[in-house]
Amino acid sequence: MNYAFELGWHTPGTWAHDVTDNPLALLSDHAHCELQAAVACQALISRYPDRPHLVDAAALVIEEEMGHFRRVVDLLRKLGGELGDTESNPYADKLRRGLGGTSKSSLMDRLLLASMIERRSCERFEMLAEKARQPELRELYSSLAPEELVHQRLFLNLAESECGVEESQARLAVLIDLESTVAAQVPFANRMHGGQKL
Ligand SMILES: [Fe+2]
Ligand SMILES: [Fe+2]
């Protein structure tokens, strides 16, 4: 696929097989990720209502993420599971902390972080599309991967148009380094953004 940028660290090829030893846990976590992606876009609109291009793009992504949420929950139920509780996401938390902020993050950081998380999700979705143990999961992730690729580009383009190309590219380089360390070091779990099984 044609990504706007490359990852600094690649998830090992065995990850998709390892993580689908508990597909219900993975799907429940994934559903919460889709929900959080929509929540992050709602926060963008609330915080920057005076930026019409940003508002329109974020509103579109919210609709798409909620569509993804529905598809993931539908498969979760079809396989006999149910949506579990929200759990903290060490991957996203470490990224936010590494960038030096939480609720007061700059617009550029919020957009680049969104693009970065979409980029890692694309990598994981592609792996699952090929190597998930369950055919239903391979089908779901084949269809979702290209849609998250669009979001990855959209958030990077928004950062560049709203905050400047050079500034965004410089900050993105920092974020790629940070993300590769975090992704490689978070512990393995049956979650979309867990680390490798050691
Ligand atoms: Fe999504
Ligand atoms: Fe997305």
Side-chain angles (χ1 to χ4, degrees):
M1 287 212 244
N2 190 15
Y3 294 111
F5 58 88
E6 248 321 308
L7 294 165
W9 176 80
H10 294 282
T11 304
T14 49
W15 175 84
H17 185 79
D18 292 338
V19 82
T20 51
D21 66 355
N22 187 342
L24 302 184
L26 175 68
L27 288 168
S28 177
D29 174 72
H30 178 190
H32 281 292
C33 291
E34 299 290 359
L35 199 57
Q36 283 309 311
V39 167
C41 283
Q42 289 177 345
L44 276 176
I45 295 174
S46 297
R47 197 165 173 94
Y48 304 99
D50 55 340
R51 294 178 184 254
H53 183 49
L54 177 76
V55 168
D56 291 350
L60 177 68
V61 175
I62 291 166
E63 285 178 32
E64 293 178 352
E65 301 298 13
M66 291 315 295
H68 297 170
F69 173 81
R70 269 257 58 105
R71 280 151 72 185
V72 175
V73 171
D74 284 350
L75 179 57
L76 174 62
R77 289 182 178 150
K78 189 178 154 197
L79 296 180
E82 195 45 83
L83 193 59
D85 289 337
T86 316
E87 291 176 36
S88 68
N89 185 335
Y91 168 79
D93 292 346
K94 282 174 194 286
L95 288 180
R96 277 191 209 96
R97 274 205 299 277
L99 285 175
T102 50
S103 60
K104 291 193 170 19
S105 297
S106 72
L107 175 59
M108 185 166 66
D109 278 0
R110 285 168 184 249
L111 294 170
L112 292 176
L113 185 62
S115 183
M116 186 81 246
I117 294 175
E118 295 278 5
R119 177 66 186 86
R120 179 62 69 187
S121 302
C122 281
E123 183 212 37
R124 301 275 166 104
F125 286 13
E126 282 179 50
M127 299 177 89
L128 288 163
E130 269 188 38
K131 293 184 178 158
R133 301 181 197 209
Q134 302 76 12
E136 297 94 334
L137 264 70
R138 293 200 293 273
E139 199 178 312
L140 172 73
Y141 289 109
S142 299
S143 72
L144 287 179
E147 298 184 31
E148 303 299 8
L149 171 65
V150 174
H151 291 169
Q152 185 237 343
R153 289 193 160 279
L154 177 147
F155 286 119
L156 180 59
N157 291 342
L158 272 176
E160 290 180 341
S161 63
E162 300 288 326
C163 309
V165 174
E166 280 182 25
E167 294 87 342
S168 296
Q169 286 294 329
R171 189 64 168 157
L172 178 63
V174 173
L175 181 54
I176 288 172
D177 272 356
L178 169 68
E179 198 273 348
S180 58
T181 306
V182 170
Q185 290 180 356
V186 287
F188 176 82
N190 292 98
R191 304 184 70 167
M192 191 55 71
H193 299 119
Q196 58 193 317
K197 202 171 215 173
L198 297 172

